[in-house]
Structure formats: C-alpha cells, structure tokens
Amino acid sequence: MKTYFLLLVMSVFLGTEILAVDLSVAQLTLYRLLALGVIPLLFYQVTLKNRRLILMANSHATYALMAYVIWWSWAVLSLIWAESLMGWIQAIFLMTIGISSIVGLYFFVLNFRQWQRLLQGMWLMVSGLVIWGYFEIITNIYFLADLNKLDKYRTFNSQPWTRIPITIFSNQNDYATLLLAYLPLCLILYQTSRTSWQRNVYLLMLMAGMFLVYQSGSRMALLCLILFFVIYGLLYLKWDFKAQHYKWLVVGAGISAAALLLLQPNLIMHLFETLRTTRVVGIVTGDEARINLWHNGLIFFVQSLGLGVGAGNIEHWMGNYGPFYTNELVNIHNWWLEILVGYGWVSFLLYVSAYGLIIYKLIQIMKTKNLFYQSVARGFVSFMLIFIFASITSSTNMFIEWHWVYFGLIISFIKLVEMNESRNNRDLTTSHTKSRIKREIEVLS
C-alpha cells in the first residue's frame, strides 16, 4: 500500500504527455490509473474490516474531505441542467481522479514516516522538473512546448535571457505555480533534515526554483514569491492580538489607503480603467479580456440562479452567451470564480470554508511545541495564503492534477496530527481517571 501511494504521488508530475495512452476522449496515464483504483481499493479494505481505516469525527481534515466529496456530488447532479455533455464528462472525469487521490491520502496515509516519504517523493519529482526547466533555458531545446506560442517574438535564439521554462505544462504560468508549491517542500525538508549536505541540497534547489519563477515572466507568480517569504518570516513572530489590536489594524489600513490616494490621486481612475469592460470586438487588451471573462462569469452565475452553469460548462457558456468580448478566450482564468460560476454558491461556500478551516488548523498546529509540526504547518500556511492569488494565474486549475495531490497531502498531515492529539487526550484522561481511583481507594482504606 505504501508503494502504491508513493507511485501515485510521484506519477502525477509526469503530466499527460509522458507514458500516456490516448483513448480519444481522454488520455490514460499512470497517475490516473492509480487514482481511479483508489475507490475500489478502499471498498475492498472496508469489506476486509480494516481497522486502520479511520474516518475521524470533529476533525478539520474530515470536514475538508467531506467538502470535496459534496462538491463532487453536486457536480455530478449538475448533469440535469448542463448544456454541454462533453464538458460535463471531462470535468467529472478530472474531479473524480483528483478527489479520489484526496480520499486515498486521507485514509491510507497511516503514520508520519509514510507521510514524509510521500513528501520526499513529491520533492524529488518537482526537482526533476526544476532541472528540466534549466535544461530548456540553457539549451533552447523544448521537447513538449509549442514554440510558436511560447517564443512569440522569436528571440529565444538570439537572446537567451528571454527563454521561458515550461517543461510538461501548457504555459509558463502553470509551471510557475508549481514552483511556488515547491518552496514549502524545500523549506520543510531543509528544517527537518539531520545532515548538513541534505540541507545544502534543499537550499540550493530552493534558490534554483526561485530563479525559475522569475524567468517564467509570470507577474503574479513573482509577486506571490515575494509574498510567500514575507508571510513565512512573519509566521516566526509570536502574535498576541486582542480585539483592540485588530481595530487599530483596520484604522491603520484606512489611513494608509487614504495617504496612498493623496500621493497617487490617479490610482482609483487607473483601477476603474483596469476593471472596465467593453463589448467592442478586437480592441481589448489581455488584462481587459481577463476582466471581461470574470464579468461574463458573474452574469452566468446570476442567470443560473446561483446553481452554477454545470460542471465543465463555463467554456460552453463563455463561447456562446458571453456578452463581453474576451479575445476568444473561454476559460475563466480564476479558480474561485470557476467554482462559483460552474458549481454554484453551495459548492463555493463549502470549498472556501474548508480552505479557511485548513489554514486555521495549520496555524493552531504551529502553536504546538513539536518542531516538526511547526515546520510543516508554517510552510503549508504560507503556500495556502499565496495560492489564493496564485490560483488565478492559470486558465483553469481543474486540469492541474498535481494540486489535488498536494492538498491531499496537507489534509492527511492534519489528520495525522489530530489522531495524535486525540490519542494524547485519551491517555491523559485515562491517567487522570487512574489517579482519581487511586486517591479514592486510599481514602476508603
């Protein structure tokens, strides 16, 4: 079982171009085969009455798992009103694979030693993609990329510094987002390693990944890179905020905003200009097209009465009913709106609340005295906070299969911590009970 899930975690980084079998309607990869095998494997273990399969009550990890499962159930139900059957099938296929991975990691990761092996396996595979990225920008050899799209200005040969790493991904934004997820892996392993040579390797790969984020040319990814280290550093500080401190923070933020507007009076005008939409064909910039995609999506959300347009149907609606011109783009380019518009307000609230509770639990774990817990939680909290912004750089995260596995590892980590907390509480209760009984016996004697 340990080998099975190690292969699952590592194989997701092979992408859909390597070791893939084309079935015309979809590509079958090693990762997808392993992920689809999780549910039958789980049922088989249930029939064997495997006592190590635990669904914890009153657990943040369990709530997150249930949020994903309910979201998937609603997506399946959306077939009733979905207009594009092929879009629905594709989305359900990808969701089923992703959520199966989360379910498997929740139930079958049984201890921290196994969990660390999975984390190391993930780090190893992403490190391979980092090395591949350097191979591309050094040699100008791209095995999978479409250079007509990537090298738009035909400068890769004459100007090596303009080369962009992309590896197995369809665009550099998706690759840059993966590199952002690579940062906490390096930091966690750096802080938990026992030998200096291992720490040096993790530190070297961390810096290598940071440079590739810059080289990718993704503005949002670069901002998130800076924000990641700001948050990571702030999390080392001990915060003891009370209600009045939060009030002062709000007041301070208001004063800072007012001062910024006084110094830059054209800022509001620029903001409104950025958010401007236009129905005129052929004169919208890339940023305006993205804003128009979002505006169209919100209109579709209202038109669907808040139920969502159906799994995988945003592209169909955008191509046929979008009132605002989007340069013929149909992916909504915003993960949060993709959930809201495609799957409705119930799924959106479930996802957001689960996301918030995971962050909250990780922050609580950071307050424990266990240094390993602290290191892991600090890295993942920093990533989850920047992923709020980084997730909108991609056209859609539904196709980015590694992110399901990544969040599955975070959820399984929280479950392991909660299991240890529950075990410690039981031991403490048992100890207190024994002490009380002993005192009562002494009094009676």
Side-chain angles (χ1 to χ4, degrees), residues 27-38:
Q27 285 184 310
L28 196 60
T29 65
L30 176 60
Y31 162 69
R32 291 177 177 179
L33 273 173
L34 293 170
L36 289 173
V38 166

Side-chain angles (χ1 to χ4, degrees), residues 303-441:
Q303 291 175 340
S304 67
L305 304 178
L307 298 177
V309 299
N313 270 246
I314 293 178
E315 294 81 1
H316 169 77
W317 279 61
M318 201 70 71
N320 291 281
Y321 308 129
F324 298 114
Y325 185 63
T326 62
N327 288 341
E328 299 184 359
L329 298 175
V330 292
N331 291 111
I332 200 165
H333 287 72
N334 188 311
W335 179 231
W336 307 95
L337 283 180
E338 183 174 353
I339 298 172
L340 178 67
V341 177
Y343 305 91
W345 65 271
V346 174
S347 298
F348 180 77
L349 287 181
L350 277 171
Y351 185 86
V352 170
S353 60
Y355 199 95
L357 282 175
I358 290 173
I359 294 175
Y360 170 78
K361 182 59 183 179
L362 289 172
I363 292 174
Q364 294 301 113
I365 292 172
M366 283 174 48
K367 298 177 182 179
T368 63
K369 296 181 180 180
N370 189 304
L371 296 179
F372 173 73
Y373 289 0
Q374 290 179 16
S375 300
V376 175
R378 187 181 298 112
F380 284 147
V381 166
S382 302
F383 171 73
M384 290 191 68
L385 289 174
I386 66 165
F387 188 71
I388 295 172
F389 309 102
S391 61
I392 68 174
T393 61
S394 300
S395 59
T396 171
N397 281 350
M398 193 63 70
F399 292 94
I400 302 177
E401 294 178 314
W402 66 262
H403 104 272
W404 302 96
V405 175
Y406 197 92
F407 278 86
L409 276 180
I410 296 175
I411 292 170
S412 63
F413 167 75
I414 292 175
K415 182 190 175 185
L416 290 174
V417 173
E418 289 177 328
M419 287 175 63
N420 278 357
E421 290 174 345
S422 177
R423 190 179 300 114
N424 291 338
N425 289 336
R426 286 198 305 269
D427 292 343
L428 187 61
T429 302
T430 302
S431 177
H432 286 167
T433 302
K434 290 180 178 179
S435 298
R436 180 176 56 80
I437 293 173
K438 184 178 179 180
R439 288 195 301 271
E440 290 175 354
I441 292 174

